Amino acid sequence: MTIASSRAPLRRLSAPASISLLALSIGLASLPATSALAAEASQTQAGYSFDIARQPLPQALNAFSAVTGWQVGVAADLADGVVSPGVSGRLPAERALKNLLGGTGLTVRQLGPRNVVLERNLSSVAEMQPLTVTATLNAGLYNLTDKKYWLWDDVRGYDGVGEASVLAPANLDRLTQPGRNFAINLVWDI
């Protein structure tokens, strides 16, 4: 079985012509990218124009990304309830991001040229809130005159008929309180 084709055979270009055509296409394809990169580099060196007001951190980061084109990642639990102080003026992106994070306890970790992740600042984790310690010191000197005495709770139940009458002085003497003494008591609340 033979297959017939109605197409004309392709002509090959000469080697110098194909190389120059390839070089021309590469050169033309890189022109817009080169000018875009140059514009971006000049924008980065001069800084970006920011006008981000004090607001919740997720909204501030969205505004930052809209101005710079940066991708900023942050865990939801880290950004929850955090308020950014905002940033305004013409600043480099890195500086503006640090200003946006001022006082939040978060820091930047660079993943790529325009890609960062926010993390908890480990030095702020180590900071402790003020701790209040209340201490009470009680001190006392007891039985200053060194007299013999009893506490009612110790002798209640003894009457003149029972055990006290049989061993009266010896039995009651064991229930007397110590002679001259002192006591110190420290109580603290944290």
Side-chain angles (χ1 to χ4, degrees):
M1 176 170 174
T2 55
I3 299 176
S5 173
S6 61
R7 284 197 274 171
L10 292 176
R11 280 187 341 155
R12 295 190 67 52
L13 292 174
S14 66
S18 63
I19 291 176
S20 63
L21 185 58
L22 179 62
L24 179 65
S25 64
I26 291 173
L28 289 176
S30 67
L31 277 180
T34 305
S35 63
L37 288 175
E40 184 179 317
S42 68
Q43 174 77 8
T44 303
Q45 289 173 351
Y48 296 93
S49 181
F50 294 98
D51 188 20
I52 302 173
R54 177 182 170 87
Q55 57 188 307
L57 185 62
Q59 286 84 358
L61 293 175
N62 288 338
F64 171 83
S65 293
V67 171
T68 62
W70 281 35
Q71 292 181 348
V72 181
V74 62
D77 63 326
L78 291 179
D80 189 36
V82 177
V83 177
S84 170
V87 64
S88 63
R90 191 158 193 81
L91 299 167
E94 295 86 0
R95 174 78 173 222
L97 186 56
K98 284 187 181 180
N99 289 354
L100 275 177
L101 299 177
T104 63
L106 299 175
T107 186
V108 178
R109 181 169 50 107
Q110 192 89 25
L111 297 178
R114 301 175 69 154
N115 192 356
V116 295
V117 172
L118 303 184
E119 299 174 331
R120 185 166 310 280
N121 189 350
L122 295 179
S123 65
S124 70
V125 171
E127 286 182 28
M128 294 181 64
Q129 296 298 323
L131 182 66
T132 303
V133 177
T134 306
T136 306
L137 179 66
N138 296 318
L141 181 60
Y142 300 99
N143 199 3
L144 186 61
T145 59
D146 198 23
K147 297 285 186 181
K148 187 185 285 189
Y149 72 97
W150 297 264
L151 294 177
W152 172 248
D153 286 340
D154 294 340
V155 294
R156 176 178 50 183
Y158 282 97
D159 57 8
V161 180
E163 183 180 348
S165 63
V166 177
L167 307 169
N171 196 26
L172 286 178
D173 279 346
R174 69 181 177 91
L175 300 175
T176 60
Q177 295 302 308
R180 235 177 256 126
N181 64 80
F182 68 94
I184 297 176
N185 185 17
L186 176 65
V187 178
W188 67 89
D189 293 322
I190 297 177

